[in-house]
Amino acid sequence: MPSSGSPTSSSGFFQLLQNRSFLLLWCGQGLSQIADKVFFVLLISLLVNYQTPDDPVNSMRSALMIAATLPAIFLGSAAGIFVDRFEKKHILTVCNYLRGALTLLIPVLPTAFFILLAIAFLESILTQFFAPAEQAAIPLLVSHDELMPANALFTTTIMGALIVGFAIGEPLLSMAKLWNAELGQTALVGGLYILAGGILQWVKLKEPKASPATLSVHPWSDFKAGLRYLRQNPLVSNAMMQLTILYSVFAALTILAIQLAQEIGLKSTQFGFLLAASGIGMVLGAAFLGHWGDRFHHKPLPLIGFIIMASMLAIFAVVNDLWLGLTLSAFLGIGASLIAIPMQTLIQRQTPETMRGKVFGFQNNVINIALSAPLAIAGPLTDMFGLSAVLLGISVVVALGGIWAWKNTHRVLEDVI
């Protein structure tokens, strides 16, 4: 991390947004993220057209979620290998155009449930290519000293899109349906993807020309090269492990939020307020790091983040007040930002350009596989031991994970973050 007197430290996000290509990448990311969330809402809303009164609607929803999740589990590493071999700008634009085209095809395809499953599956496959290409493009557009605020801005956008996308998805789709009952909804979502692709078309990425030999893909050897790189770079692999712990905690909290909302006086259907409060906390943390993060390069930010999260989770176990619960959730988000942004920045700084696609693809792969365990066991564990016990258990895991990560990396982090 640069010294506190660096230009980026004083100007933060403002200087980044003077970079036209970075600004375009950021806008394209924001539109794509919102389109992803609205697309998921669209899939759920379309189920009414793809079922009979006797069909198990909950099982159909689960099947849609599985169809959208499987590519993230099995294709992350393969997509990363592909990203290293081809121009990232083309991957970013083509993925958005194809996602838009698939969405626009929905009204003209047969109204069979397997068609909806196939659309969800194919859209998710394209997203697996988009994600590592986007992460690998950031270091090509900004300087080494600007990576921290750049990642802070992208993290802010991801959380903002999560809040905004799910919040406005249903109202937007309802308005689009009023405009045209048959084509309005798919035109809206497909149009968002295509608009994002059009914006990304204007991004100027300085990528080396790939030779014919480079373009030939050797999946197994490239996969082994990525694993070998991670084994030889414990700093990067430890950072990836910390991100995995972080996202696993949030996956579990997504399941627990429904009962937690009831404990603090909300309706079970209002659990989104808790998630939104965490998102606001992450936005605040990202804004802080974007402007002043470089001044704290000598501080163990991820360890502080893990301690904040562990403390908030432990307090959550005994809280039943609405405003205190929302405040704790916001601080939980702040703690998460102190882990996610420095660790993502570390991975980008330490990974050479030729390995970024593999590393980010593998990162997406590992995180998505890890997410499946908390999603599967959080509910049953709560039924068996109660919400308070599970929250305290997660708190202990988060604290121990943070201490372990700090002991493994703190001597090196001062030189690179």
Side-chain angles (χ1 to χ4, degrees):
M1 184 181 290
S3 65
S4 60
S6 67
T8 303
S9 297
S10 60
S11 56
F13 295 147
F14 180 76
Q15 181 171 319
L16 276 174
L17 298 180
Q18 306 307 303
N19 181 334
R20 184 172 178 270
S21 286
F22 178 83
L23 177 61
L24 290 169
L25 180 67
W26 176 54
C27 291
Q29 179 226 16
L31 279 174
S32 296
Q33 290 283 341
I34 291 174
D36 284 340
K37 307 306 177 290
V38 182
F39 174 75
F40 185 76
V41 177
L42 173 65
L43 287 181
I44 300 301
S45 68
L46 286 177
L47 270 181
V48 68
N49 301 325
Y50 290 78
Q51 67 183 80
T52 65
D54 296 329
D55 286 336
V57 64
N58 288 325
S59 297
M60 294 174 76
R61 288 174 184 163
S62 296
L64 276 176
M65 293 180 71
I66 292 170
T69 303
L70 286 177
I73 294 175
F74 294 110
L75 293 178
S77 298
I81 293 168
F82 187 89
V83 165
D84 278 335
R85 299 286 183 171
F86 296 89
E87 292 188 22
K88 296 164 187 63
K89 174 181 171 179
H90 290 164
I91 295 172
L92 291 170
T93 54
V94 170
C95 282
N96 271 315
Y97 287 147
L98 289 177
R99 288 192 290 183
L102 275 171
T103 307
L104 293 173
L105 277 176
I106 292 175
V108 300
L109 294 173
T111 54
F113 182 57
F114 80 90
I115 295 290
L116 206 59
L117 288 176
I119 294 290
F121 186 77
L122 292 172
E123 289 263 356
S124 181
I125 287 175
L126 291 168
T127 300
Q128 306 320 305
F129 288 90
F130 182 87
E134 180 185 58
Q135 286 289 341
I138 296 174
L140 298 176
L141 293 174
V142 303
S143 68
H144 186 274
D145 292 347
E146 293 174 322
L147 277 174
M148 178 73 83
N151 279 295
L153 190 59
F154 269 70
T155 300
T156 302
T157 308
I158 290 171
M159 295 310 302
L162 182 65
I163 299 166
V164 173
F166 284 132
I168 68 172
E170 196 279 331
L172 278 180
L173 291 171
S174 296
M175 287 189 289
K177 192 171 184 178
L178 288 175
W179 170 68
N180 188 301
E182 293 184 1
L183 305 177
Q185 293 180 317
T186 52
L188 169 68
V189 181
L192 285 174
Y193 280 127
I194 291 171
L195 179 58
I199 291 173
L200 292 167
Q201 192 81 50
W202 293 93
V203 174
K204 293 181 179 179
L205 282 179
K206 295 180 180 178
E207 299 184 67
K209 291 283 185 180
S211 65
T214 305
L215 290 176
S216 58
V217 180
H218 306 286
W220 181 241
S221 60
D222 282 358
F223 179 74
K224 290 192 294 184
L227 286 178
R228 186 164 56 250
Y229 175 80
L230 290 173
R231 283 198 300 268
Q232 294 170 353
N233 292 271
L235 198 58
V236 174
S237 55
N238 282 337
M240 195 177 294
M241 183 60 67
Q242 292 179 63
L243 289 173
T244 303
I245 295 172
L246 172 64
Y247 289 120
S248 297
V249 170
F250 267 93
L253 289 177
T254 302
I255 301 298
L256 301 178
I258 297 174
Q259 185 174 341
L260 194 55
Q262 295 175 296
E263 294 289 329
I264 64 172
L266 293 170
K267 298 176 182 178
S268 61
T269 55
Q270 295 177 317
F271 70 94
F273 285 110
L274 279 174
L275 300 180
S278 293
I280 291 170
M282 285 201 74
V283 169
L284 293 174
F288 169 80
L289 290 173
H291 283 282
W292 299 291
D294 287 342
R295 302 181 185 181
F296 295 88
H297 68 280
H298 58 291
K299 302 294 184 182
L301 294 177
L303 175 61
I304 295 171
F306 277 117
I307 291 173
I308 290 174
M309 289 187 69
S311 302
M312 297 306 104
L313 288 167
I315 298 172
F316 251 133
V318 295
V319 162
N320 56 14
D321 179 77
L322 173 60
W323 290 106
L324 180 56
L326 293 175
T327 302
L328 291 174
S329 190
F331 273 100
L332 197 70
I334 291 173
S337 69
L338 296 181
I339 303 165
I341 295 167
M343 291 300 94
Q344 194 65 59
T345 302
L346 171 62
I347 295 171
Q348 288 176 338
R349 285 179 173 172
Q350 294 296 299
T351 305
E353 183 182 335
T354 55
M355 294 296 297
R356 282 178 188 146
K358 299 181 190 69
V359 169
F360 292 129
F362 192 77
Q363 174 185 320
N364 290 335
N365 217 167
V366 169
I367 288 174
N368 280 296
I369 292 171
L371 290 180
S372 60
L375 288 172
I377 67 174
L381 285 177
T382 304
D383 291 335
M384 292 172 61
F385 302 107
L387 180 62
S388 296
V390 172
L391 287 171
L392 287 172
I394 296 175
S395 172
V396 171
V397 171
V398 169
L400 293 177
I403 294 169
W404 167 82
W406 179 69
K407 284 187 174 181
N408 277 281
T409 59
H410 76 282
R411 292 176 182 172
V412 191
L413 281 173
E414 293 186 1
D415 298 327
V416 295
I417 289 190

